[in-house]
Amino acid sequence: MRRRPQSTSAATTKPEVSEEPIAPSWVAQRPQRSPFVWLTLFLAIAYGSWGVFHYQFESLPAPLTAEQAGKRGFSEFSALEHVKALTQLGPHSVGSDALHLALQYVLAEAEKIKKTAHWEVDVEVDSFTAKSGANRMADGLFKGRTLVYSDLNHIIIRILPKYAPEAVDNAILVSSHIDTVFSTGGAGDCSSCVAVMLELARGISQWAHGFKHAVIFLFNTGEEEGLNGAHSFITQHPWSKSIRLAIDLEAMGIGGKSGIFQAGPDPWPIETFAAVAKYPSGQIIAQDIFSSGAIKSATDFQVYREVAGLSGLDFAYADNTAVYHTKNDKLELLKLGSLQHLGENMLAFLLKIAASSHLPKVNTMVEEDNKGQSTAVYFDILGTYMVVYRQHFANMLHKSVIAQSLLIWTTSLLMGGYPAAISLALSCFSVILMWIFALSFSVLAAFIIPLISSSPVPYVANPWLVVGLFAAPALLGALTGQYLGYLILHTHLSNVYAKKKQISPVIQADLIKSEAERWLYKSGSLQWLILLILGTYYKIGSSYLALFWLVPPAFAYGFLEATLTPARFPKPLKLATLLIGLAVPILISAGGFIRLAGTIIGTVVRLDRNPGGTPDWLGNVIVATYVAAVMCLTLVYLLSYIHLPGAKKSIVLSTCLLFGLSLAVVSLGIVPPFTKDTSRAVNVVHVVDMTRSFDGKQDPRSYVSLFSSTPGKLTKEVEQINEGFRCGRDKVVDLVTFSVKYGCWTFDDTDSGWSESDVPTMHVDSDTRGDERITRVLIDAKGSTRWTLAINADEIEDFTFKDAGSSEELVLVGDMSSVDGWHIMQFSGGKNAPTMFDLTLFWMKNPTRLDQKVEGKREEGTPLLKLRTDMDIVTPKVDRVLSKLPPWCSQFGKSTSPHTFAFLSNLPVNF
């Protein structure tokens, strides 16, 4: 309250008016935020955030035995028997003997389910062999490629009620893949999914007599080679025509909670799942990131959505993503409760939708999805409750909050006048400085680490190091930036208060600090308001995060701090304002932010898609940028509290100490960057290079190539292997789908273990020149049923491709797309897949030339076709190298990489 000065007597002729300095009532008990209080507050928020993460993602249900689950329930221990049986087979990639054994195992289990089904339930089991086909995806990881397949085998179970004939025409698909990459037994990806499906099929076979729809379980092969299994089923199997909804089970790690990361386009499946799931898990932020292409991966759900026009859900295990496609995707790392979590959720969901009278119509929701109005926004709260609402409601809600926020800000500025507008601008400038310094400090640390550590990414096996290496400098930078903004704002407010003569200087100083503190707090809400506006404009589903980080802190401030009159003196912010304001945002988002950090750290293992093609510091910069961004977004409210005397020095010392200790741990090698359970991804490939020298001769060169998709040199690994490797960037290996720009190679003892009779050939059968140039090339892959062909898109306009043995057209003339000037064709198949093909090339009528002078050089130095054929051969040299591979290294498999042996050949433009 302001104290009015006592007026003098009216009778005095020359009254002396003296204004006594005004003191707010709280000045006598001026609050001092000690370092201990601030540190306690920070640790409480950090501990609360970790607790949210642990409960949301690490808390798993107790696994049930078969007796506990009963005939109609889900038993994790029964499912684990399937995982154990499949992983004992070792890697089972397409075309391998192990995959045949895995198919036989699944088929035998399916027959058992058929025998023990409820007497009113029909269980049909089909062992289906897909004929040759081709898949061209319109978007995503395989855009610009033609994926050709042949002789793929699938096991399919259809469960439906005996006395409901209409059920056969409306089916729900549950799908996953049996095959693995060559480098792992695939406990997580995706034997765990197959096991869950077998146990679900057993349970569903006891319930289906009350269903209105059939349930189809598809155990496909060929997913790891380009989603070929799903495509062959959808385009060739007669049961696929009855499917109305698709559910895909996947893994990009091993175990943990299997969450939804893709849903739609019809929102009905996710709405139903949210209503019935016992442990709902799913975040639309994962869907936004995945659909943006930031994660270079694809799942069968893309086929079901793009090719079949189906709606549905895509689930994935995402714990410990660093083990993805490595030897460490093993049963020992599969957490107990993981299968129970997915199994119980799926069982409840299937029982609900299979008995429902409603299923989404095929294709009809795609147009609405493009309008962005019918899609669903979804997220779970602590893994116990899922919030789902549609995009049109999100638009209405967000626009309402935006309008009210802008109204409040406008009213506040009108009441405060010109000084308030300047204060707002300076507080926003403090946010900008906070971002600049936080990013600068953390990115600087990212550049320092490769200079002092044996590995550029020393935190992969110990993700907690990220707190000291990146979070500490980011916090220090954010504090520095905001404090500089605070000083500028303090100067402005000092000028404003200097005009108020009635306030004593001592009191005035405290008032300035309090008002500056309030403006910094309010700038945090303005930051989130801008993000909410952008997210609403672009219809980004995960913009709900901005809503939760804007509304509760603003409400807490309005309820506990705001006044309706500018005449009231500002007070220091209450700690209750911060605690109440941050409780809901932390509850909603802390777990997701931490989970995403772990995912990013795990993907660093396979960051370099062209080994040596990215700088060693890039992975660090990505992690550092994410950490700094999260800290700037979430700590802006908290940091506004620490500019009162007493807290800053201790915070700076603490963060510097933490950063220094983390650097010491890394530089001294106290903790290893990789371990036997979290390995570095490497490939050991025996390469026989038959690429033609451009005088038409073939000069075979045989060598073993060692390279890694994990950033960093291979010096330590090569020393331990001791097999005569040389490392460097002076030998680029073009493996057609990617290039090895840094690697190691040896020519010693590489002439044995392979035969020239397996060398593929490309023979020009005819070359017709006229108005249109057409070239026919016969390709003989010899013993290889897995190969990759690159077609020069600067020379070739289109092509056709057929099986030379049966003359079956596999690829017709169409819109040939390209990436970086090449159209990639990938082929994979079983043991009976064809190996001889007829390729017809249609040349560009007016090929683009730079000029006449360089045309000859360009044709002389550029191949028309590049071919890589992969063989299931382990030569003696490769066997020795693999046996000496350090325990912290693991072979890494993907659809575009060779196995352990590859032939390289090409056909020049001027053949």
Side-chain angles (χ1 to χ4, degrees):
M1 297 290 292
R2 296 187 62 181
R3 250 185 346 180
R4 298 177 181 272
Q6 298 292 329
S7 61
T8 58
S9 172
T12 307
T13 56
K14 291 185 178 181
E16 293 184 10
V17 180
S18 63
E19 292 190 354
E20 183 181 333
I22 301 171
S25 58
W26 51 267
V27 169
Q29 298 177 348
R30 184 182 305 162
Q32 297 288 329
R33 298 200 183 102
S34 68
F36 176 77
V37 171
W38 196 94
L39 183 61
T40 302
L41 182 64
F42 182 81
L43 291 177
I45 292 175
Y47 182 78
S49 299
W50 183 259
V52 168
F53 165 74
H54 181 80
Y55 194 89
Q56 186 172 6
F57 292 103
E58 300 290 324
S59 178
L60 294 166
L64 300 181
T65 63
E67 293 74 20
Q68 290 172 323
K71 288 199 304 182
R72 293 185 166 191
F74 184 93
S75 165
E76 173 168 318
F77 287 108
S78 296
L80 282 173
E81 291 300 315
H82 301 314
V83 179
K84 183 178 180 180
L86 291 170
T87 53
Q88 283 178 341
L89 299 173
H92 33 283
S93 56
V94 171
S96 66
D97 293 332
L99 181 59
H100 175 73
L101 295 175
L103 284 163
Q104 292 303 307
Y105 175 83
V106 174
L107 179 61
E109 293 301 314
E111 293 293 346
K112 291 180 184 178
I113 293 170
K114 181 177 181 179
K115 291 178 182 178
T116 59
H118 190 278
W119 66 275
E120 292 183 281
V121 175
D122 270 336
V123 177
E124 301 172 87
V125 179
D126 184 20
S127 178
F128 176 69
T129 300
K131 61 182 182 180
S132 300
N135 175 17
R136 280 183 175 174
M137 303 307 298
D139 206 352
L141 180 65
F142 299 107
K143 182 179 180 181
R145 299 185 182 185
T146 299
L147 308 171
V148 185
Y149 53 83
S150 183
D151 191 35
L152 297 180
N153 298 288
H154 316 314
I155 305 299
I156 311 165
I157 305 173
R158 182 164 69 174
I159 302 175
L160 67 167
K162 279 185 180 179
Y163 306 111
E166 69 279 3
V168 73
D169 297 323
N170 296 280
I172 299 157
L173 175 68
V174 184
S175 170
S176 192
H177 61 96
I178 304 176
D179 64 306
T180 71
V181 293
F182 81 99
S183 54
T184 178
D189 185 20
C190 212
S191 296
S192 60
C193 312
V194 170
V196 168
M197 286 172 57
L198 286 171
E199 181 64 6
L200 279 173
R202 182 202 59 77
I204 290 294
S205 69
Q206 306 299 323
W207 285 94
H209 54 284
F211 287 179
K212 296 179 181 178
H213 313 293
V215 180
I216 295 174
F217 291 91
L218 169 63
F219 304 85
N220 72 64
T221 64
E223 191 273 349
E224 296 291 5
E225 299 297 338
L227 317 182
N228 295 329
H231 187 272
S232 62
F233 170 76
I234 286 295
T235 56
Q236 297 182 25
H237 199 280
W239 291 356
S240 66
K241 305 298 184 291
S242 65
I243 296 172
R244 300 292 175 264
L245 185 145
I247 303 162
D248 183 50
L249 306 185
E250 257 297 350
M252 61 175 296
I254 182 165
K257 290 189 175 182
S258 180
I260 296 170
F261 71 104
Q262 291 189 95
D266 193 316
W268 183 79
I270 186 67
E271 291 171 343
T272 306
F273 176 82
V276 301
K278 190 173 181 180
Y279 315 104
S281 181
Q283 303 283 336
I284 195 172
I285 187 172
Q287 177 172 312
D288 289 340
I289 294 172
F290 193 81
S291 60
S292 72
I295 297 177
K296 302 297 182 183
S297 187
T299 71
D300 285 338
F301 189 72
Q302 183 181 0
V303 174
Y304 302 137
R305 183 167 177 165
E306 283 188 18
V307 179
L310 296 170
S311 292
L313 303 176
D314 201 2
F315 293 81
Y317 288 112
D319 261 22
N320 202 356
T321 56
V323 309
Y324 177 70
H325 283 190
T326 70
K327 67 179 182 181
N328 294 314
D329 186 2
K330 54 189 178 182
L331 182 60
E332 292 81 359
L333 297 183
L334 184 60
K335 296 178 182 177
L336 283 180
S338 302
L339 306 188
Q340 194 71 40
H341 174 266
L342 176 59
E344 290 196 37
N345 281 344
M346 280 294 300
L347 183 60
F349 180 53
L350 290 174
L351 293 179
K352 178 67 175 181
I353 61 176
S356 171
S357 58
H358 171 80
L359 282 181
K361 295 180 180 179
V362 179
N363 289 323
T364 57
M365 296 305 298
V366 176
E367 292 183 4
E368 293 185 30
D369 178 50
N370 290 336
K371 297 176 184 177
Q373 297 300 317
S374 65
T375 54
V377 176
Y378 58 93
F379 56 92
D380 71 271
I381 301 175
L382 297 181
T384 58
Y385 182 77
M386 179 169 280
V387 177
V388 181
Y389 52 89
R390 303 200 177 190
Q391 185 63 53
H392 65 82
F393 174 77
N395 292 339
M396 292 172 54
L397 176 62
H398 295 178
K399 288 175 181 177
S400 174
V401 171
I402 291 169
Q404 292 180 59
S405 299
L406 292 176
L407 179 61
I408 292 171
W409 273 108
T410 302
T411 304
S412 176
L413 292 177
L414 289 175
M415 292 175 63
Y418 178 75
I422 298 299
S423 298
L424 174 62
L426 293 177
S427 62
C428 292
F429 183 61
S430 74
V431 172
I432 296 173
L433 289 176
M434 181 179 67
W435 277 86
I436 292 174
F437 278 84
L439 287 170
S440 299
F441 284 22
S442 58
V443 169
L444 179 61
F447 283 103
I448 292 173
I449 290 170
L451 302 177
I452 65 171
S453 173
S454 60
S455 169
V457 286
Y459 45 81
V460 171
N462 301 280
W464 52 267
L465 277 172
V466 168
V467 176
L469 293 175
F470 301 126
L475 174 60
L476 183 61
L479 175 59
T480 302
Q482 194 185 65
Y483 183 64
L484 289 176
Y486 167 81
L487 293 178
I488 297 171
L489 180 60
H490 187 280
T491 302
H492 163 68
L493 293 175
S494 297
N495 295 331
V496 173
Y497 274 85
K499 300 175 183 178
K500 300 180 180 181
K501 304 293 185 180
Q502 70 274 25
I503 305 177
S504 70
V506 175
I507 298 172
Q508 190 179 97
D510 292 326
L511 293 177
I512 292 170
K513 292 175 183 178
S514 297
E515 185 160 351
E517 181 183 65
R518 286 167 169 260
W519 277 111
L520 293 178
Y521 183 95
K522 289 188 287 186
S523 68
S525 64
L526 189 61
Q527 170 183 243
W528 284 105
L529 175 60
I530 293 171
L531 291 177
L532 181 62
I533 293 172
L534 293 174
T536 302
Y537 179 80
Y538 290 105
K539 294 183 174 62
I540 300 173
S542 49
S543 57
Y544 78 90
L545 291 169
L547 186 72
F548 280 106
W549 279 93
L550 167 64
V551 175
F555 174 80
Y557 182 88
F559 184 71
L560 297 175
E561 307 287 355
T563 63
L564 298 178
T565 171
R568 184 174 176 181
F569 287 118
K571 297 180 180 180
L573 291 173
K574 301 178 179 69
L575 291 180
T577 304
L578 183 68
L579 296 175
I580 294 173
L582 295 187
V584 173
I586 288 174
L587 182 70
I588 296 296
S589 63
F593 285 145
I594 297 173
R595 177 58 168 257
L596 183 55
T599 301
I600 294 172
I601 293 168
T603 56
V604 168
V605 169
R606 51 191 180 275
L607 176 69
D608 204 346
R609 302 184 70 82
N610 291 281
T614 58
D616 288 345
W617 46 259
L618 181 60
N620 292 340
V621 169
I622 293 172
V623 176
T625 301
Y626 173 78
V627 171
V630 170
M631 299 200 75
C632 288
L633 289 170
T634 58
L635 295 184
V636 62
Y637 298 112
L638 177 61
L639 292 179
S640 66
Y641 272 70
I642 68 173
H643 300 293
L644 290 180
K648 292 184 290 297
K649 185 176 180 180
S650 59
I651 296 168
V652 171
L653 291 175
S654 299
T655 53
C656 289
L657 179 61
L658 179 59
F659 178 59
L661 288 174
S662 300
L663 286 181
V665 167
V666 166
S667 62
L668 296 175
I670 296 175
V671 294
F674 306 102
T675 64
K676 64 182 182 65
D677 289 333
T678 306
S679 302
R680 180 177 189 178
V682 301
N683 287 86
V684 180
V685 185
H686 192 138
V687 178
V688 177
D689 191 345
M690 305 293 295
T691 54
R692 298 185 185 185
S693 57
F694 293 101
D695 58 1
K697 298 180 180 179
Q698 285 183 305
D699 182 21
R701 289 162 292 172
S702 177
Y703 57 91
V704 173
S705 177
L706 170 67
F707 55 89
S708 175
S709 55
T710 307
K713 300 293 188 292
L714 290 163
T715 308
K716 188 176 180 180
E717 288 79 4
V718 165
E719 288 177 357
Q720 180 157 335
I721 294 171
N722 193 25
E723 283 289 337
F725 280 99
R726 268 184 59 211
C727 300
R729 296 180 176 273
D730 51 332
K731 181 177 177 58
V732 176
V733 182
D734 185 354
L735 293 172
V736 182
T737 49
F738 65 95
S739 295
V740 179
K741 298 182 180 180
Y742 167 82
C744 306
W745 62 92
T746 178
F747 292 88
D748 301 341
D749 304 324
T750 59
D751 294 329
S752 62
W754 59 277
S755 171
E756 289 196 18
S757 62
D758 291 326
V759 175
T761 60
M762 290 186 287
H763 171 67
V764 178
D765 185 66
S766 64
D767 184 29
T768 305
R769 303 189 185 216
D771 293 338
E772 183 178 12
R773 183 180 179 184
I774 301 175
T775 300
R776 183 179 174 219
V777 180
L778 300 180
I779 299 175
D780 186 354
K782 297 297 176 69
S784 174
T785 58
R786 185 182 191 266
W787 52 261
T788 303
L789 178 72
I791 302 173
N792 191 331
D794 292 331
E795 303 287 345
I796 303 301
E797 184 176 9
D798 215 330
F799 69 95
T800 62
F801 186 74
K802 64 182 180 181
D803 180 350
S806 64
S807 297
E808 178 187 0
E809 292 278 0
L810 300 179
V811 181
L812 303 176
V813 174
D815 296 327
M816 187 184 86
S817 57
S818 65
V819 176
D820 297 329
W822 295 92
H823 179 83
I824 303 295
M825 184 189 305
Q826 293 179 217
F827 180 90
S828 67
K831 291 182 177 297
N832 298 319
T835 58
M836 298 186 67
F837 304 93
D838 188 339
L839 174 68
T840 302
L841 303 172
F842 301 92
W843 292 69
M844 291 279 188
K845 292 182 180 179
N846 296 302
T848 303
R849 301 293 190 210
L850 295 178
D851 56 54
Q852 295 270 334
K853 295 180 180 179
V854 300
E855 179 178 344
K857 291 183 179 180
R858 181 174 178 276
E859 290 192 348
E860 182 180 344
T862 304
L864 179 67
L865 301 175
K866 297 188 295 184
L867 176 65
R868 188 194 81 216
T869 55
D870 302 330
M871 305 289 290
D872 289 327
I873 296 174
V874 179
T875 62
K877 181 69 171 183
V878 169
D879 189 45
R880 288 200 305 273
V881 173
L882 290 176
S883 67
K884 296 180 179 180
L885 205 63
W888 67 81
C889 291
S890 168
Q891 289 265 70
F892 176 68
K894 57 181 180 179
S895 64
T896 57
S897 65
H899 290 180
T900 53
F901 189 95
F903 286 108
L904 300 179
S905 57
N906 65 9
L907 182 68
V909 169
N910 58 344
F911 56 84

